[in-house]
């Protein structure tokens, strides 16, 4: 909102009522900083040189995909759900929508003292 205000000398000054010293909403700066930190940690954790994404399940039937995820959540506690990616590959007229469940598999840690040529 823009308004004009007299300056005392007969001139009118333009004042933008929205651009005050209000700053961000309470907690917004902290939340955005936390989200940025989480993104940086995820980028480092899932970087291409640290491992690869392995497809666990893929289908073109959304209800089958959801049922498979529910079964995994109910039965298998061995899956690290923070390292799971649920993808919906949007289809077009020629290609149907595909639903994919992938798990990040970290690369084996290379031990410089171990000889890998023997194995």
């Amino acid at each position: 909102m823009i308004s004009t205000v007299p300056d005392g000398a007969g001139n009118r000054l333009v004042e933008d009522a929205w651009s005050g010293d209000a700053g961000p909403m309470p907690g917004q700066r902290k939340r955005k900083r936390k989200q940025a930190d989480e993104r940086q940690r995820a980028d480092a954790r899932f970087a291409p040189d640290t491992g690869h994404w392995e497809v666990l399940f893929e289908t073109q039937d959304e209800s089958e995909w959801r049922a498979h995820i529910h079964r995994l959540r109910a039965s298998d506690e061995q899956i690290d759900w923070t390292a799971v990616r649920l993808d919906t590959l949007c289809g077009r007229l020629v290609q149907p929508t595909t639903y994919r469940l992938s798990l990040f598999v970290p690369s084996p840690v290379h031990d410089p003292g171990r000889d890998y040529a023997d194995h």
Side-chain angles (χ1 to χ4, degrees), residues 54-67:
E54 184 175 302
V55 176
L56 297 178
F57 184 73
E58 185 175 65
T59 184
Q60 293 174 350
D61 182 1
E62 183 179 6
S63 60
E64 181 183 7
W65 182 60
R66 291 186 185 279

Side-chain angles (χ1 to χ4, degrees), residues 23-57:
M25 296 293 290
Q28 184 176 8
R29 185 174 293 132
K30 181 179 177 182
R31 184 179 71 248
K32 287 190 177 203
R33 190 176 317 119
K34 182 179 176 184
Q35 289 172 343
D37 291 345
E38 288 172 359
R39 270 193 305 275
Q40 286 177 342
R41 279 194 300 276
D43 289 348
R45 180 179 177 195
F46 301 126
D49 59 339
T50 62
H52 66 279
W53 290 98
E54 184 175 302
V55 176
L56 297 178
F57 184 73

Side-chain angles (χ1 to χ4, degrees), residues 42-111:
D43 289 348
R45 180 179 177 195
F46 301 126
D49 59 339
T50 62
H52 66 279
W53 290 98
E54 184 175 302
V55 176
L56 297 178
F57 184 73
E58 185 175 65
T59 184
Q60 293 174 350
D61 182 1
E62 183 179 6
S63 60
E64 181 183 7
W65 182 60
R66 291 186 185 279
H68 185 77
I69 292 168
H70 288 297
R71 280 193 305 274
L72 280 176
R73 286 187 189 266
S75 66
D76 191 4
E77 289 93 30
Q78 299 299 321
I79 293 178
D80 176 11
W81 289 97
T82 62
V84 170
R85 191 170 73 187
L86 305 171
D87 296 315
T88 303
L89 308 172
C90 297
R92 299 288 185 253
L93 295 174
V94 179
Q95 192 172 20
T97 300
T98 302
Y99 303 93
R100 183 182 295 162
L101 173 71
S102 303
L103 177 67
F104 188 78
V105 179
S107 297
V109 179
H110 179 71
D111 183 4

